[in-house]
Amino acid sequence: MLKKAIIAILIVGAGIQLIPVPKNQSDELPETDFFQSVEAPLAIRNMVIASCYDCHSNNTDYPWYGRVRPLAWFLQKHIDEGKEELNFSSFREYSDRMKREKIRSMISQIRDGEMPLQEYLWMHPEAELNEKEKKKLIEFLNQINKDGTD
Ligand code: HEC
């Protein structure tokens, strides 16, 4: 009985590997990317790309388990939902009002430690922002909200 159940699980587990998961990847920052519209120090840019772009852009750096279903579906759901709320890759297509709103929302999410998502940090400790980094990033975001973006 137990043996049959284990075999069934293995077969289903292998079978679902054949169901395709769409990939969210493109090689370079598009014209419409957030960082094409603001002058950002390299450190800030790298920080945001490392901590936020996997879920909030058209460019996900997939981890090894990103191809393993059902984990891959879980991951894809985060990417779909994250991009719907905020997509750095098409930031310049937002209206001015929307841009301001999104920047304000980024500030509060970072300040409150809501983003990057906790579940993500378990697998990506390098994406965690320490207090100093958070402070720098928030200062930068406040500044561009004052200066405006292209
Ligand atoms: C693991 C994927 C993931 C990562 C990494 C991530 N986010 Fe998110 N983000 C989401 C998801 C999913 C949502 C929508 C659901 C929610 O709010 O929890 C979201 C929502 C948001 C929102 C909109 C919240 C609102 O309601 O206005 C902002 C702003 C945001 N994220 C900013 C960031 C920033 C800035 C970073 C990097 C410091 C980041 N996120 C990293 C997945 C992620």
Side-chain angles (χ1 to χ4, degrees):
M1 189 57 207
L2 183 64
K3 211 166 137 194
K4 270 195 183 149
I6 292 173
I7 291 172
I9 289 169
L10 287 179
I11 291 174
V12 172
I16 60 176
Q17 303 312 316
L18 301 173
I19 307 171
V21 183
K23 271 211 149 190
N24 184 47
Q25 243 169 1
S26 71
D27 280 340
E28 43 195 79
L29 293 184
E31 265 305 296
T32 49
D33 192 88
F34 177 70
F35 286 109
Q36 308 276 16
S37 71
V38 296
E39 285 279 346
L42 198 58
I44 294 277
R45 180 171 155 155
N46 289 342
M47 207 191 290
V48 174
I49 290 178
S51 296
C52 319
Y53 267 49
D54 272 359
C55 303
H56 290 290
S57 82
N58 295 335
N59 210 348
T60 301
D61 187 7
Y62 285 89
W64 61 268
Y65 60 85
R67 301 311 287 168
V68 183
R69 280 123 281 204
L71 267 175
W73 296 328
F74 177 72
L75 191 81
Q76 197 59 43
K77 189 163 171 287
H78 270 164
I79 297 169
D80 291 344
E81 288 178 8
K83 268 171 72 172
E84 210 173 282
E85 293 280 343
L86 167 69
N87 189 346
F88 283 103
S89 301
S90 51
F91 190 85
R92 289 176 91 183
E93 289 169 351
Y94 293 152
S95 67
D96 284 350
R97 192 166 140 229
M98 185 81 147
K99 286 179 185 163
R100 278 178 196 283
E101 225 166 76
K102 293 296 168 191
I103 293 171
R104 266 202 303 273
S105 177
M106 282 182 225
I107 294 171
S108 65
Q109 297 284 322
I110 294 165
R111 190 191 50 220
D112 300 345
E114 302 269 354
M115 289 286 149
L117 285 181
Q118 194 56 48
E119 302 104 280
Y120 176 76
L121 293 177
W122 293 331
M123 297 306 281
H124 295 88
E126 76 286 355
E128 184 150 22
L129 301 171
N130 63 34
E131 289 307 315
K132 219 170 120 196
E133 290 171 326
K134 278 191 205 170
K135 199 165 155 253
K136 264 194 160 156
L137 193 48
I138 290 172
E139 260 167 32
F140 167 76
L141 291 168
N142 274 322
Q143 189 62 40
I144 58 173
N145 231 3
K146 241 187 273 155
D147 296 348
T149 51
D150 281 347

